[in-house]
């Protein structure tokens, strides 16, 4: 479903990604775990056509995201919760999103229910939303088209413990119904709680990947050890 094949990305003076390869299959949540600055957002931006790889390819359903017909209907993305228009209401934001991918307006109400935003909250402008409400709205936006593939960059940012639990249950349910979920985070605990597979990245390189069971019960030790090794070899 999602395939990164030897993806590298150099910004001026910074090697953000170095020969990154991994796949994300249906029916599971793949956690993309790495410390701040590891290259997670860069990889997801390349995957969704927002940045260009220096070399290599990243595809969804075997094609570049931008080449898919109506990608928003098949691939749900949450890349930057801060990018919402502050002057639109939550409902308007979702209605525009639904119109852009050709969905009936009725889907907006369903999604508001799904992400737990009340009618009153949906009628308020997004500029006055808390970070957690923005995240819920963005998750809702990503789910509008009942996507087969979900790409989420740090979706738990700003959610309270109840919200994080809600998101875990939601992602689990989506994966169980066949969705391919790619979830990035710098928080080990968050990934550990929900992911079936983990891809660890540090300083732009894949450090290890496998199922949570394969990587061992003490994922934290593995994470700290591997990121420390990556730091040592880079210095
Ligand atoms: N537009 C850009 N121009 C120059 N350097 C960039 C740009 N975007 C990212 N970088 C650099 O690329 C590296 C990877 O950044 P990226 O944002 O992908 O990491 P991340 O793993 O998502 O980090 P975080 O968890 O902090 O969001 C960092 O060194 C960052 O400074």
């Amino acid at each position: 479903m999602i395939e990164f094949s030897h993806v590298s990305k150099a910004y001026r003076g910074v090697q953000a990604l170095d020969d990154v390869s991994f796949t994300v299959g249906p029916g599971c949540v793949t956690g993309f775990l790495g410390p701040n600055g590891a290259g997670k957002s860069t990889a997801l931006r390349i995957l969704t056509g927002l940045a260009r790889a220096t070399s290599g390819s990243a595809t969804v359903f075997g094609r570049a995201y931008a080449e898919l017909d109506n990608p928003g209907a098949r691939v749900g993305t949450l890349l930057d919760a801060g990018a919402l228009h502050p002057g639109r209401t939550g409902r308007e934001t979702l209605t525009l999103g639904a119109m852009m991918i050709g969905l009936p307006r009725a889907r907006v109400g369903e999604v508001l229910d799904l992400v737990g935003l009340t009618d009153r909250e949906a009628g308020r402008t997004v500029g006055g939303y808390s970070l957690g409400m923005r995240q819920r709205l963005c998750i809702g936006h990503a789910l509008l088209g009942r996507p087969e593939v979900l790409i989420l960059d740090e979706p738990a940012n700003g959610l309270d413990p109840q919200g994080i639990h809600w998101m875990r249950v939601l992602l689990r349910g989506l994966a169980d119904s066949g969705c391919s979920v790619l979830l990035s985070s710098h928080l080990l605990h968050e990934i550990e709680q929900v992911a079936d597979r983990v891809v660890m990245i540090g300083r732009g390189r894949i450090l290890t990947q496998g199922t949570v069971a394969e990587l061992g019960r003490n994922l934290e030790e593995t994470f700290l050890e591997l990121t420390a090794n990556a730091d040592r070899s880079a210095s």
Side-chain angles (χ1 to χ4, degrees):
M1 286 289 157
I2 294 176
E3 182 168 17
F4 284 87
S5 178
H6 303 289
V7 174
S8 294
K9 172 73 178 175
Y11 291 108
R12 203 183 300 190
V14 179
Q15 189 69 37
L17 295 175
D18 185 1
D19 199 23
V20 164
S21 296
F22 67 93
T23 57
V24 175
C28 88
V29 178
T30 299
F32 193 28
L33 177 67
N36 293 129
K40 305 178 298 293
S41 298
T42 301
L44 300 190
R45 289 174 62 77
I46 289 171
L47 179 62
T48 51
L50 296 172
R52 196 184 286 260
T54 309
S55 60
S57 67
T59 57
V60 189
F61 306 117
R63 292 163 70 187
Y65 177 88
E67 287 169 10
L68 296 170
D69 298 329
N70 200 0
R74 297 184 72 193
V75 184
T77 61
L78 187 174
L79 295 178
D80 183 1
L84 294 165
H85 191 305
R88 290 191 189 119
T89 67
R91 185 182 297 280
E92 285 165 352
T93 305
L94 292 184
T95 303
L96 273 173
M99 283 167 65
M100 280 173 68
I101 54 177
L103 297 172
R105 277 168 187 248
R107 179 66 183 147
V108 172
E110 290 170 7
V111 165
L112 286 168
D113 284 347
L114 188 64
V115 300
L117 287 173
T118 63
D119 265 356
R120 194 148 169 262
E121 288 167 334
R124 285 172 48 192
T125 52
V126 169
Y129 274 24
S130 69
L131 191 52
M133 287 165 74
R134 280 169 185 259
Q135 284 299 75
R136 283 175 184 262
L137 184 63
C138 286
I139 293 171
H141 198 276
L143 295 177
L144 274 169
R146 294 190 180 84
E148 298 153 70
V149 170
L150 204 50
I151 300 165
L152 307 170
D153 196 5
E154 308 268 4
N157 276 356
L159 292 179
D160 55 23
Q162 203 187 356
I164 290 175
H165 176 75
W166 161 80
M167 192 188 67
R168 263 187 225 139
V169 173
L170 178 80
L171 297 185
R172 185 73 266 147
L174 289 165
D176 289 347
S177 63
C179 191
S180 307
V181 182
L182 176 57
L183 164 76
S184 93
S185 177
H186 60 278
L187 299 174
L188 173 79
H189 188 63
E190 187 186 319
I191 294 287
E192 211 172 16
Q193 297 284 319
V194 68
D196 306 289
R197 293 191 72 250
V198 178
V199 176
M200 278 193 207
I201 185 169
R203 291 188 176 260
R205 290 189 179 186
I206 299 298
L207 302 174
T208 189
Q209 53 182 307
T211 63
V212 173
E214 280 165 4
L215 293 180
R217 256 185 296 155
N218 201 342
L219 205 56
E220 183 171 20
E221 227 167 75
T222 316
F223 181 50
L224 292 175
E225 201 179 301
L226 287 170
T227 48
N229 283 344
D231 283 350
R232 263 200 299 279
S233 56
S235 57

